[in-house]
Amino acid sequence: MIADLERVPQLDATWRDAPGLWGFLTTVDHKRIAARYVVTALLLMFLAGMLALDMRWQLSTAENTRMGPQLYNESFSLHGSTMLFLVSVPLMEAMALWLVPLMLGTRNMAFPRLGAFSFWLYLGGVLTLWLAHAADVTPDLGWFEYPPLSGPAYSPGHRADIWAQMITFTEVAALAASVNVAATILKMRPPGMTLARMPVFLWAMLIASIMTILSMPAIMLVTSMLIADRLVSTHFFSPAGGGDALLFQHLFWFFGHPEVYIIFIPATGFVSAIVETFSRRPLFGHNAIVLSIMAIGALAFGLWVHHMFAVGLPRLGNDFYTAASMAIALPAGMQIFCWIATIWSGRPRLDTPMLWVVGFLATFVIGGLSGIMTASAALDLQLTDTYFVVAHFHYVLVGGAMFPLFGAFCYWYPKATGRLLSERLGRIAFWLIVGGFNLGFAPMHLLGLLGMPRRVYTYPAGLGWETLNQVATAGSAIAVAGGLVFVGNALWSYWRGRVSGPDPWGGSTLEWASASPTPAWNLPYTPRVDSLTPMWRDGPLRVMEGLALDRREVLVTSVADAAPLYRQKSAPPSIAPLLAALATTAMFIGSIFTPWAIVAGALPIGAALTAWFWPTRPRAGAAEAKA
Amino acid sequence: MIFVRPPGPVSPALTRRAPCWAAPLLVAVLGGCSSEARQLGPTAPQTRPISNADPRIPAYQANVYQVAQGGRYFGWYGCGGCHAEGATGVLNLGDTQWKHGDGFADLFTAIADRHGRLAYDRRVPVEVLWQLTAFVRDLPAHKAEKRMRTARDQKAEPQGATWSGPQ
């Protein structure tokens, strides 16, 4: 898409950020915010990977003394909490923040300042957990901290509070991001992109966002109840005081199970985009894939109890949730067959993004099959709390979400930076990571069947576990080496990579119409869409005019038909989101120590929000009165 | 109060994990660090405190984990039988009016040696006595509702007369 010569400087002037630090702190550019999310989360992924390697080192031989029990407890708690709350979910949201406006051909998110607020609050959660860790106040009860173990009687001090409050941070951040994504997808699609012409990526992000909005309140509620139990001695989880310890588990998993699909469903969006572009044909079974994602999203809320088969629930309950858990294999399988059919009937090209999709298909199917095994309540009673479960959830989360994410990283890296990743280094990283991962986690299935429990810091010699553990450690070391090659490739290519141009892969969706790296205003014109693959139409992309150039303006369209409704002012940069996030941070941290922090902290938050929402134009009535 | 690290190896998380940029922060918060330190496995004192200024005291008195362990043993050894919530006079441990002095060694001696035929100095291991002493000295800081909440969580644990663990 080529813009008029005078158009670009005008757009630049309207949409640019202030220079320097002030611009950094006030920006509402969705691409800058998303980039921060991605870089922070990748850094944390590296730290969590180091923790994993350290734990594998400890387990590589029997009765190893690298770690004591306390350090091991802290290590796996930090690893799990970081990966689940601070890496996987935020990375998926970051990809949505980055790509949704580009794929819609709009200039920014629906609520630009909410995006900035979301990141600053996420950063607050990151610092809460990791600065506490630096101060040796590390949560040590795993990534789900059940009471009574996490209650006031058995977890004195603030380790459990740090964990619970870190969750509050990240969930508020996730809610802010999800509301933003859902509103943007529903109300800011370009003319012609009806719901029926919406790419799978956008469907995936929309459904994951709605799931986030529906499930996150449960975890915020339950961690707040835990903090209340610990801080002001309420009795939510104290059976002797009329409470219920199982209530925690139900509420936690009512969030926790949808969460793994909140991580997985965006990955299906990445896979769909990559498969379509690299098979060079429109996605096979678009409607079937969208309906499958919807089915997964709905079923995800009806099977959380399969995390609780071992706590002693009624038989009928276990039977029902076994059936519901197995049912999810149907839509998941349907998606996989659709992708395979697309590759089969297309003209596939095996560049690195597509390689990652192949790695995903192979690994995720293995994880799905072990999932069917653990879904059976009878078998799960044997497998629960063994390394079989560790193998299963790493296969589905790493294979099902991280591999597509790495593919997406390779696929959209040129769009973000204007340079291509090195294919050669990319292939080396791919084989090291996928090979190392499978070498590392496949033996854990056997270890689990041999009875090795999870969360043990060591094991006695002579149980027949040594060799398999050594293989697993070797595999994780290889995978970490691959990760370093991957990061090295990204850094090297950022300065030395081949210049990509706007559309290096011949992509099908609208983000490839923008320049690479994308300017602050995204596309020069509002595109007009007439198919699922707007970039593959014969002839140039059709566009429309009509949005202001001298002020920030976006087009709002109708939910179902994307018919233009009105032009909407888009919020300019502001320091208010950062101030609001700082005030919220002060309240969250303070409420670990005293309940009065909630009362006292509400005032600065109110002040920051007032500044945020302060009207910048006279009310319509006032202007009329003057005239 | 000066916080002293628990005797024995320095908490590994501090030395191995903290990234170097955290060093200034570490210095700033070091006072708070050891209060959360958690020692699993055999620990220090094999002997009684030598005085109220014994250098080993802060590792117990200022450590939330050791104090909480003392609270559990308080129940297990049946201390609550006489020193229950609402006990009056000399039996009330939460009023800071300790008859034989409020120093650590004073209280330690009162628990170990001043219970007549209960002879806690022989029946209770030394480290547990350290933890019990730290807990009792900490009691005035616990609000009644917190003590009740904690007791309810620990209700299922064997207490005093209903002890079912090893004899």
Side-chain angles (χ1 to χ4, degrees):
Chain A
M1 200 188 301
I2 297 159
D4 299 339
L5 276 180
E6 68 272 32
R7 197 178 177 85
V8 169
Q10 267 183 318
L11 284 168
D12 277 339
T14 305
W15 289 89
R16 70 156 181 254
D17 288 317
L21 181 65
W22 185 250
F24 179 86
L25 296 176
T26 58
T27 185
V28 291
D29 183 342
H30 67 100
K31 298 176 290 296
R32 287 185 83 178
I33 294 164
R36 281 170 207 181
Y37 251 121
V38 170
V39 170
T40 314
L42 288 181
L43 190 67
L44 287 167
M45 193 195 281
F46 171 76
L47 292 174
M50 290 294 109
L51 286 169
L53 199 58
D54 204 3
M55 286 186 282
R56 285 312 319 167
W57 179 5
Q58 162 67 16
L59 292 176
S60 57
T61 57
E63 291 174 42
N64 200 351
T65 54
R66 159 83 186 107
M67 287 187 189
Q70 177 64 21
L71 180 58
Y72 192 85
N73 288 352
E74 292 176 12
S75 298
F76 73 70
S77 305
L78 201 57
H79 171 83
S81 302
T82 300
M83 285 306 293
L84 266 304
F85 294 110
L86 300 178
V87 175
S88 307
V89 174
L91 263 179
M92 298 302 173
E93 285 156 7
M95 296 301 278
L97 280 177
W98 200 317
L99 285 163
V100 161
L102 291 179
M103 250 187 225
L104 296 175
T106 183
R107 301 217 186 281
N108 206 341
M109 300 292 290
F111 308 115
R113 292 178 181 178
L114 196 59
F117 177 74
S118 167
F119 172 75
W120 294 122
L121 216 51
Y122 161 70
L123 188 64
V126 170
L127 295 178
T128 300
L129 186 63
W130 281 83
L131 289 185
H133 173 56
D136 202 11
V137 188
T138 316
D140 51 2
L141 307 173
W143 81 275
F144 46 91
E145 308 207 330
Y146 287 170
L149 181 59
S150 60
Y154 299 106
S155 290
H158 290 298
R159 293 177 192 265
D161 297 319
I162 293 285
W163 174 83
Q165 211 57 305
M166 175 274 292
I167 288 179
T168 315
F169 272 105
T170 54
E171 305 316 341
V172 175
L175 279 173
S178 301
V179 167
N180 211 349
V181 169
T184 309
I185 294 178
L186 288 175
K187 291 300 290 179
M188 294 173 70
R189 295 200 308 280
M193 190 187 279
T194 60
L195 284 182
R197 292 199 199 119
M198 207 161 92
V200 173
F201 179 92
L202 293 173
W203 274 112
M205 288 305 182
L206 175 64
I207 291 164
S209 298
I210 293 172
M211 289 175 72
T212 307
I213 294 166
L214 293 176
S215 68
M216 294 282 172
I219 182 89
M220 281 178 59
L221 182 68
V222 79
T223 53
S224 301
M225 288 155 93
L226 179 64
I227 291 178
D229 265 19
R230 296 171 52 81
L231 186 66
V232 292
S233 304
T234 51
H235 284 73
F236 290 116
F237 305 125
S238 155
D244 188 346
L246 274 192
L247 176 65
F248 183 95
Q249 301 186 21
H250 280 297
L251 283 174
F252 184 90
W253 291 115
F254 184 78
F255 142 85
H257 198 81
E259 192 207 16
V260 301
Y261 292 107
I262 289 168
I263 295 169
F264 170 64
I265 284 178
T268 65
F270 306 153
V271 171
S272 299
I274 294 171
V275 161
E276 181 167 81
T277 294
F278 288 88
S279 302
R280 289 180 280 179
R281 61 149 289 170
L283 208 55
F284 177 91
H286 170 90
N287 291 349
I289 293 181
V290 170
L291 290 171
S292 299
I293 296 177
M294 285 182 184
I296 292 174
L299 282 172
F301 284 91
L303 36 74
W304 76 91
V305 173
H306 70 212
H307 295 268
M308 299 164 59
F309 280 155
V311 302
L313 296 170
R315 264 288 295 280
L316 189 63
N318 281 355
D319 293 349
F320 174 84
Y321 286 99
T322 290
S325 307
M326 290 187 173
I328 210 131
L330 295 176
M334 181 131 79
Q335 283 182 313
I336 289 184
F337 283 120
C338 285
W339 292 320
I340 291 175
T342 311
I343 300 171
W344 195 282
S345 59
R347 294 170 292 140
R349 242 177 18 199
L350 274 183
D351 296 302
T352 40
M354 192 62 173
L355 268 186
W356 281 109
V357 167
V358 175
F360 152 77
L361 287 172
T363 314
F364 182 67
V365 165
I366 298 173
L369 292 176
S370 64
I372 297 200
M373 295 169 74
T374 47
S376 155
L379 190 53
D380 184 69
L381 278 179
Q382 300 300 316
L383 298 175
T384 192
D385 277 333
T386 70
Y387 261 83
F388 191 89
V389 176
V390 177
H392 162 67
F393 68 68
H394 281 93
Y395 262 85
V396 283
L397 284 174
V398 178
M402 290 299 121
F403 289 178
L405 186 79
F406 297 153
F409 192 85
C410 299
Y411 181 52
W412 281 296
Y413 184 88
K415 182 51 53 193
T417 64
R419 288 176 189 272
L420 284 162
L421 286 166
S422 154
E423 281 289 309
R424 189 187 160 81
L425 288 176
R427 278 169 204 279
I428 295 173
F430 168 80
W431 286 111
L432 285 176
I433 293 177
V434 173
F437 171 83
N438 279 291
L439 191 64
F441 285 92
M444 290 186 194
H445 293 109
L446 297 176
L447 280 171
L449 294 173
L450 289 172
M452 178 166 170
R454 48 189 293 213
R455 302 179 162 183
V456 289
Y457 80 103
T458 191
Y459 50 92
L463 291 172
W465 298 348
E466 285 104 323
T467 313
L468 287 171
N469 267 306
Q470 264 163 23
V471 173
T473 302
S476 26
I478 293 170
V480 167
L484 294 178
V485 174
F486 192 95
V487 172
N489 186 11
L491 292 175
W492 184 82
S493 302
Y494 187 78
W495 286 282
R496 296 289 162 83
R498 206 149 50 78
V499 173
S500 66
D503 187 8
W505 312 114
S508 58
T509 39
L510 284 174
E511 77 274 23
W512 301 107
S514 69
S516 305
T518 314
W521 33 268
N522 295 348
L523 292 183
Y525 301 94
T526 305
R528 168 101 176 61
V529 174
D530 50 15
S531 76
L532 274 167
T533 51
M535 291 297 285
W536 286 352
R537 73 192 299 277
D538 297 324
L541 190 66
R542 288 193 294 164
V543 297
M544 59 169 272
E545 268 274 28
L547 289 180
L549 298 178
D550 56 348
R551 57 185 183 276
R552 293 177 177 233
E553 209 168 66
V554 290
L555 180 68
V556 173
T557 55
S558 62
V559 170
D561 301 325
L565 293 179
Y566 51 86
R567 293 173 298 177
Q568 164 86 25
K569 183 182 171 235
S570 183
S574 162
I575 194 71
L578 176 58
L579 295 180
L582 284 173
T584 313
T585 301
M587 186 192 85
F588 283 169
I589 299 292
S591 65
I592 290 178
F593 301 98
T594 163
W596 292 106
I598 294 166
V599 181
L603 299 174
I605 293 178
L609 291 182
T610 307
W612 179 340
F613 299 125
W614 198 260
T616 53
R617 58 182 173 194
R619 292 171 58 184
E624 278 164 25
K626 264 184 214 162
Chain B
M1 181 187 289
I2 300 163
F3 292 107
V4 178
R5 295 213 134 271
V10 179
S11 169
L14 259 182
T15 51
R16 289 181 191 146
R17 280 291 161 57
C20 54
W21 50 261
L25 181 102
L26 262 181
V27 175
V29 294
L30 201 58
C33 293
S34 55
S35 74
E36 297 261 352
R38 201 160 173 172
Q39 217 70 65
L40 302 183
T43 43
Q46 313 290 321
T47 58
R48 296 168 153 238
I50 42 178
S51 75
N52 287 335
D54 190 306
R56 295 170 292 180
I57 290 171
Y60 282 79
Q61 195 64 66
N63 183 289
V64 290
Y65 171 68
Q66 304 290 3
V67 170
Q69 284 300 98
R72 291 179 77 184
Y73 290 127
F74 193 86
W76 290 11
Y77 282 104
C79 307
C82 300
H83 302 288
E85 195 71 30
T88 52
V90 72
L91 293 177
N92 183 350
L93 298 178
D95 60 359
T96 69
Q97 305 293 307
W98 293 306
K99 192 174 164 189
H100 303 290
D102 60 0
F104 196 96
D106 301 335
L107 245 87
F108 191 103
T109 311
I111 295 171
D113 304 335
R114 292 183 188 275
H115 280 83
R117 63 186 176 80
L118 293 172
Y120 287 135
D121 63 325
R122 283 192 295 105
R123 292 175 55 211
V124 183
V126 172
E127 187 185 7
V128 174
L129 282 169
W130 278 78
Q131 291 165 327
L132 278 168
T133 308
F135 173 72
V136 172
R137 289 185 81 223
D138 206 53
L139 263 180
H142 297 200
K143 291 191 183 122
E145 68 265 24
K146 177 96 173 184
R147 289 202 293 264
M148 183 173 82
R149 178 68 178 76
T150 309
R152 281 187 169 162
D153 258 8
Q154 293 173 341
K155 202 171 178 178
E157 293 190 16
Q159 311 271 325
T162 64
W163 177 253
S164 55
Q167 294 299 319

